[in-house]
């Protein structure tokens, strides 16, 4: 299992984020065992030196530390708690790190089941997107015990640059939802401004140039603005995943007794994007909903909405 210096890592969920993260662990010298329900990314990592296991339980049995990077709460419950799930092989000394973005309530429940076996578990969702996953510069917000965090820290250092222990189990997911509320509301604000300015007769590129030099400057406009200007929305971060985060944020707000009117409004616009059949585009495609409502386009390029 563990090499002399580096623990054996299991990795489940080799999508847009998981695949480059797993690759970075392999390149850092960790023996790696991978699993996904889709064959293509598994084959790619095996070609680069990873081993493969047929079920989450088999991955868990063969590794010291399991990392999961799955779409949402149901997949995390399935991988950890389902038939042939990872917790069937959980044991004292074993560590699980779920880096998916899921509901804090589910993160706390799965962690309680893991720790009941004597194992440790952290929730450690990330920010920084596919470029951050490839470069190993993600921001990682970690919930769980201090001891588990200290143990995970060197491994997380391979994947990210800003790594903060934010509280007990579930706290990482709470902070991630705060992050997703900010990003969603800023995308909506940027989209709204570009549609307004364009329909009122100003070139959108000029609007961006000026906004980025003043108080309105934002990383969202820097990173996603080019999509809106070009009318191209390859993900990136799929709008359906952001819709999932907003729904988890609304659930958290209900539990915590908080009103989140801006997040609730953007959830409805993201819902409209999904109904229109564009939920698998990048979340910056939210601008296409505002374009339709205004009867105007930011971009006259060939791609257009969709
Ligand atoms: P993705 O859909 O590209 O990848 C998910 C992977 O999980 C896929 O390869 C899928 O086949 C696999 N999977 C699904 N169910 C499975 C199961 N039961 N067993 C094994 N494998 C299974 O998603 P992504 O963009 O990589 O995002 C993963 C998580 O990270 C999500 O929670 C997302 O919200 C979060 N996130 C994404 C980004 C981004 O920019 N893409 C940024 C930060 C956080």
């Amino acid at each position: 299992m563990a090499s002399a210096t580096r623990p054996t890592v299991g990795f489940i969920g080799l999508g847009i984020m998981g695949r480059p993260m797993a690759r970075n662990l392999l390149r850092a010298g960790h023996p790696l065992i991978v699993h996904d329900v889709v064959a293509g990314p598994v084959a790619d990592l095996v070609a680069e030196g990873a081993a493969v296991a047929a079920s989450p339980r088999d991955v868990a049995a063969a590794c010291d530390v399991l990392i999961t990077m799955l779409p949402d709460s149901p997949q995390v419950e399935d991988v950890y708690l389902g038939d042939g799930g990872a917790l069937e092989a959980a044991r004292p000394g074993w560590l699980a790190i779920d880096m998916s973005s899921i509901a804090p309530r589910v993160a706390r429940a799965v962690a309680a089941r893991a720790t009941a076996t004597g194992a440790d578990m952290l929730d450690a969702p990330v920010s920084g997107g596919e470029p951050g996953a490839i470069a190993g510069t993600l921001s990682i917000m970690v919930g769980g015990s201090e001891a588990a965090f200290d143990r995970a820290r060197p491994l997380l250092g391979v994947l990210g640059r800003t790594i903060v222990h934010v509280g007990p189990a579930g706290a990482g997911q709470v902070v991630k939802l705060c992050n997703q509320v900010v990003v969603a509301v800023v995308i909506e604000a940027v989209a709204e401004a570009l549609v307004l300015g364009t329909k009122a007769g100003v070139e959108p590129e000029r609007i961006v140039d000026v906004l980025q030099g003043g108080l309105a400057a934002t990383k969202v406009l820097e990173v996603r603005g080019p999509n809106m200007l070009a009318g191209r929305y390859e993900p990136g971060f799929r709008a359906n995943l952001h819709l999932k985060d907003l729904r988890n944020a609304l659930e958290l707000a209900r539990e915590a007794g908080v009103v989140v009117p801006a997040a609730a409004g953007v959830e409805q616009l993201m819902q409209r994007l999904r109904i229109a059949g564009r939920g698998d585009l990048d979340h910056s495609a939210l601008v296409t909903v505002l374009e339709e409502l205004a009867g105007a386009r930011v971009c006259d390029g060939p791609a257009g909405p969709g």
Side-chain angles (χ1 to χ4, degrees):
M1 288 228 288
S3 73
T5 51
R6 293 183 178 83
T8 296
V9 179
F11 207 111
I12 302 178
L14 304 167
I16 290 178
M17 297 296 284
R19 183 180 350 196
M21 291 164 70
R23 184 175 284 137
N24 284 339
L25 290 164
L26 204 54
R27 288 181 181 160
H30 287 280
L32 189 74
I33 300 153
V34 296
H35 174 78
D36 196 294
V37 288
V38 175
V42 172
D44 289 349
L45 280 155
V46 167
E48 294 173 36
V52 61
S55 70
R57 180 191 47 225
D58 292 349
V59 178
C63 71
D64 305 298
V65 181
L66 173 66
I67 296 180
T68 46
M69 194 54 168
L70 298 157
D72 193 6
S73 305
Q75 292 81 23
V76 170
E77 289 177 311
D78 188 37
V79 160
Y80 282 94
L81 309 177
D83 233 13
L87 292 194
E88 289 179 9
R91 59 215 179 262
W94 183 76
L95 172 64
I97 310 174
D98 179 39
M99 304 189 76
S100 329
S101 304
I102 67 167
R105 172 182 53 79
V106 174
R108 283 190 289 266
V110 176
R113 296 275 294 272
T115 50
T117 70
D120 273 320
M121 183 156 189
L122 297 169
D123 49 291
V126 308
S127 165
E130 187 184 18
I134 292 169
T137 57
L138 293 166
S139 287
I140 309 177
M141 35 223 121
V142 188
S145 75
E146 282 281 358
F149 176 73
D150 289 345
R151 195 175 151 207
R153 184 71 185 70
L155 208 55
L156 296 178
V158 175
L159 305 174
R161 190 178 284 158
T162 304
I163 301 157
V164 183
H165 184 220
V166 293
Q173 298 295 351
V174 170
V175 176
K176 174 64 184 178
L177 290 179
C178 296
N179 184 84
Q180 293 308 82
V181 165
V182 172
V183 174
V185 172
V186 175
I187 285 183
E188 198 281 339
V190 162
E192 200 169 296
L194 289 179
V195 172
L196 173 66
T198 309
K199 190 167 185 190
V202 180
E203 291 283 327
E205 290 80 3
R206 309 235 168 150
I207 300 171
V208 171
D209 283 350
V210 176
L211 261 55
Q212 288 301 69
L215 188 58
T218 147
K219 188 89 176 167
V220 165
L221 192 50
E222 178 192 320
V223 175
R224 298 301 195 228
N227 291 10
M228 298 185 191
L229 295 180
R232 311 199 73 90
Y233 306 108
E234 298 87 9
F237 183 52
R238 286 189 287 122
N240 280 342
L241 288 177
H242 209 151
L243 179 58
K244 168 264 303 183
D245 291 333
L246 288 170
R247 288 178 175 166
N248 286 336
L250 297 186
E251 178 188 320
L252 181 66
R254 272 196 301 278
E255 288 167 8
V258 173
V259 292
V260 286
V266 182
E267 189 269 344
Q268 288 293 292
L269 295 171
M270 286 281 185
Q271 166 77 345
R272 168 62 201 153
L273 187 65
R274 179 197 188 105
I275 291 167
R278 302 198 290 272
D280 282 326
L281 298 181
D282 188 74
H283 56 169
S284 53
L286 188 70
V287 72
T288 63
V289 174
L290 294 159
E291 287 175 330
E292 284 163 356
L293 290 171
R297 297 274 305 279
V298 170
C299 155
D300 290 326

